[in-house]
Amino acid sequence: MGVVIQRESQRRISNKILSALPASAFARIAPNLKPIHLTEGDCLYRASDACQYAWFLLNGLVSVVAVTGEGETMDVGMIGPEGTAGILAAFEGWRAPFTATVEISGDALEVSAAALRDEFNRHGQLHDILLKYTAFLYQQIAHSALCSRFHRAEQRLCRTLLAISDRIDSRSLRLTHEQLSRLIGAHRPRVTSILDALEAEKVLHLARGSISIADREGLKRTAATVTTSSKKRWRTISLTCDSGENVFEISGFVSLETDRRLPRA
């Protein structure tokens, strides 16, 4: 499989991290990349697992999920073709703090932890990009924690739909109400009620097993509406490599000014 990938033009690979690598670094890791299909519902790893593989997504979506002791779940991050699932495989001895599951089926290039570490430990371009991407993932997780604390279910749902749309580059999302309830940490009847209201406002179009964004600006307005005096805007976050080439861009709401203070412990 690696020979096929090595002969393929690097720029044709849709994963932003792999496509941004220098040709020499890509040539070293390419023989270790195995094309696989990820199916909705697959669990790539669970919290406390040692990651044996990493996956460079070509399409589809993987959610990073926090799980309580009672089995309740909430999405705290998303990974699409801009990134890598199982990134802790690059760090020897680390165990996953969260669970990763496939939300939207797609294709990926799988690499073993040993092969990934061999290239990572060269401290070249892959090393630098993966470190920056790790910081970006934890920024996502921190943002999710703030949203779950201060934002209503309507806002969390709209934000989630926008984030998924950005990653898969489509306004048509293959998602069920059950998936969304798990992703935003809300009961399914509440999710259904919100979706029905957004469809009545012609922001969304609903069909069995799918949700289409009809009015992206309207969805963004709902996601940005807050009960506090926080001012937010929709911003694109970019990650560039040393050559100045853009690796990936992800949009999200970033607080510009917040009057509310977090309570002291």
Side-chain angles (χ1 to χ4, degrees), residues 119-133:
E119 182 60 32
F120 182 80
N121 289 335
R122 287 175 174 265
H123 297 276
Q125 193 69 64
L126 181 66
H127 172 274
D128 293 347
I129 293 175
L130 288 184
L131 284 182
K132 291 176 181 177
Y133 184 68

Side-chain angles (χ1 to χ4, degrees), residues 6-188:
Q6 202 165 16
R7 289 175 181 172
E8 185 180 13
S9 170
Q10 180 184 358
R11 292 189 178 276
R12 291 176 57 192
I13 292 180
S14 56
N15 182 271
K16 300 298 185 181
I17 291 177
L18 290 179
S19 65
L21 290 177
S24 57
F26 181 77
R28 285 192 298 269
I29 200 170
N32 300 298
L33 298 174
K34 176 185 175 183
I36 64 168
H37 183 73
L38 303 177
T39 303
E40 178 188 323
D42 285 352
C43 180
L44 300 182
Y45 54 85
R46 298 186 184 279
S48 80
D49 283 353
C51 294
Q52 301 299 319
Y53 298 93
W55 298 266
F56 295 94
L57 272 67
L58 303 176
N59 46 63
L61 185 80
V62 169
S63 62
V64 181
V65 180
V67 184
T68 70
E70 292 73 34
E72 296 175 318
T73 63
M74 189 180 74
D75 172 76
V76 294
M78 296 180 188
I79 302 167
E82 85 288 344
T84 307
I87 196 169
L88 289 182
F91 305 92
E92 190 165 10
W94 284 62
R95 292 184 177 271
F98 303 107
T99 294
T101 59
V102 179
E103 288 298 335
I104 298 177
S105 299
D107 301 300
L109 297 175
E110 181 183 80
V111 63
S112 70
L116 183 63
R117 282 198 294 269
D118 282 346
E119 182 60 32
F120 182 80
N121 289 335
R122 287 175 174 265
H123 297 276
Q125 193 69 64
L126 181 66
H127 172 274
D128 293 347
I129 293 175
L130 288 184
L131 284 182
K132 291 176 181 177
Y133 184 68
T134 301
F136 177 75
L137 283 177
Y138 279 95
Q139 182 181 8
Q140 278 193 70
I141 292 166
H143 192 197
S144 292
L146 285 171
C147 286
S148 65
R149 171 65 178 85
F150 294 113
H151 292 180
R152 302 188 308 271
E154 293 95 326
Q155 297 168 273
R156 300 200 305 273
L157 186 145
C158 291
R159 172 182 170 270
T160 297
L161 292 178
L162 287 164
I164 293 173
S165 176
D166 282 347
R167 281 163 177 76
I168 69 173
D169 194 24
S170 174
R171 293 193 177 199
S172 180
L173 316 178
R174 299 191 306 275
L175 290 170
T176 65
H177 295 199
E178 185 65 35
Q179 282 177 288
L180 274 176
S181 70
R182 187 174 68 252
L183 288 172
I184 71 169
H187 294 299
R188 179 175 173 174

